[in-house]
Amino acid sequence: RRDVLVLTPWLAPIVWEGTFSRDILDAQYLQKNLLTGVVTFALEKYWFFIEGFMSSANKYFLAGHPVNFYLFTDSPEKIPHLQMAPENHLFVIPVQDDPRWQGISRSHMDILSSYIQRQFQHEVDYLYWVDINVQLLAHVGVEIIDALVATISSWQVTPQQDKASETHPESQSAIPEGQGDFYYTASFYGGSVAEVYKLSRACSAGLVEDTENGIEGPWHHESHLNRYLLQHRPTRLLSPEYYWDTEL
């Protein structure tokens, strides 16, 4: 494709529809005998999205390949019966809610890193975070698999020039003006278990330090995610096609 940017300045591929062969990638993935996990949180009223997310993800996320879905929820009793594909498995993990949603965004990075260390690193090779209020409308295949993967926000399809993710200079998520690459959504990211562990540990530590200093950024964990990915650039980027905002 010549109509879009397909390579970053640090030579990481940007995946758009039409820039890869799914058949070739599927064959390579199968040879490696890999297992991929998906983490999502459904707290408070977000239990409402479970059925829509799970039915679409079960159908479209790495279809034909085994996937472990890890659903963290404070309402396990509200989960409807879900018919999973034979190769997929759903694991429901009870978790306590936080009275402030900002607290949820702070704690989920800590919960993610804890479960990677305790459980996920022994069960899957790759791990992806996907927000629960998503419905997949088409195949999301193994073209997303790489060591550290980020998704470009649908609100910004070109590299950042003069916009920082966080303007508070004392925040652990602050990005100096003009130093950003792309703006990444915190709604869809992932990679190898080892890389996602390092990312979640770093973001959790930054969120804790900001809280101790009385700083609460406008985009919370997304700001910290963008700071981390500026310092540890992703090895693969997914185009805004992969997480499109229906308002646009």
Side-chain angles (χ1 to χ4, degrees):
R1 288 182 58 170
R2 299 180 182 274
D3 59 323
V4 291
L5 187 65
V6 297
L7 203 63
T8 69
W10 60 96
L11 305 182
I14 305 175
V15 181
W16 298 81
E17 189 65 36
T19 62
F20 58 89
S21 168
R22 182 165 282 124
D23 290 342
I24 293 174
L25 295 177
D26 276 341
Q28 293 174 342
Y29 185 84
L30 282 169
Q31 289 177 353
K32 296 175 182 178
N33 194 31
L34 298 170
L35 180 59
T36 296
V38 172
V39 170
T40 191
F41 273 57
L43 301 177
E44 290 189 321
K45 62 184 179 181
Y46 283 85
W47 69 265
F48 175 80
F49 295 105
I50 293 174
E51 186 169 12
F53 170 79
M54 285 305 309
S55 60
S56 64
N58 180 58
K59 180 179 180 180
Y60 288 124
F61 192 91
L62 270 61
H65 303 289
V67 179
N68 282 359
F69 291 95
Y70 301 106
L71 171 60
F72 289 84
T73 182
D74 58 347
S75 304
E77 72 283 355
K78 294 182 179 180
I79 297 176
H81 174 71
L82 300 167
Q83 185 65 44
M84 302 296 291
E87 66 272 14
N88 293 341
H89 293 90
L90 172 62
F91 300 91
V92 177
I93 304 173
V95 65
Q96 292 298 313
D97 186 17
D98 190 295
R100 296 175 64 242
W101 76 265
Q102 292 93 337
I104 296 171
S105 73
R106 282 199 299 268
S107 63
H108 91 242
M109 285 289 190
D110 184 52
I111 294 170
L112 178 58
S113 64
S114 296
Y115 270 86
I116 290 173
Q117 187 177 40
R118 181 190 318 171
Q119 177 181 347
F120 300 158
Q121 67 168 328
H122 307 297
E123 298 179 349
V124 295
D125 302 288
Y126 290 89
L127 192 64
Y128 287 79
W129 171 280
V130 188
D131 277 357
I132 192 70
N133 58 340
V134 168
Q135 285 207 31
L136 281 70
L137 304 177
H139 287 287
V140 175
V142 298
E143 73 277 357
I144 71 168
I145 300 295
D146 214 321
L148 184 58
V149 181
T151 305
I152 302 171
S153 170
S154 56
W155 286 91
Q156 190 213 337
V157 297
T158 56
Q160 292 196 122
Q161 298 298 328
D162 56 3
K163 178 185 175 184
S165 306
E166 170 62 75
T167 55
H168 198 300
E170 296 179 6
S171 171
Q172 294 303 302
S173 66
I175 295 178
E177 185 174 343
Q179 290 191 23
D181 295 315
F182 297 84
Y183 189 82
Y184 306 109
T185 176
S187 299
F188 186 16
Y189 62 88
S192 70
V193 172
E195 290 296 334
V196 176
Y197 178 67
K198 289 189 285 187
L199 180 152
S200 57
R201 279 284 300 268
C203 290
S204 177
L207 285 159
V208 168
E209 187 163 344
D210 274 6
T211 300
E212 291 175 348
N213 292 328
I215 299 170
E216 191 169 277
W219 303 112
H220 309 287
H221 64 292
E222 187 166 87
S223 298
H224 289 267
L225 175 79
N226 274 270
R227 172 61 183 266
Y228 182 87
L229 293 172
L230 177 61
Q231 297 173 319
H232 308 82
R233 287 186 166 95
T235 57
R236 179 170 304 226
L237 278 63
L238 304 181
S239 76
E241 295 169 320
Y242 283 84
Y243 195 84
W244 191 252
D245 192 324
T246 54
E247 292 182 20
L248 292 174

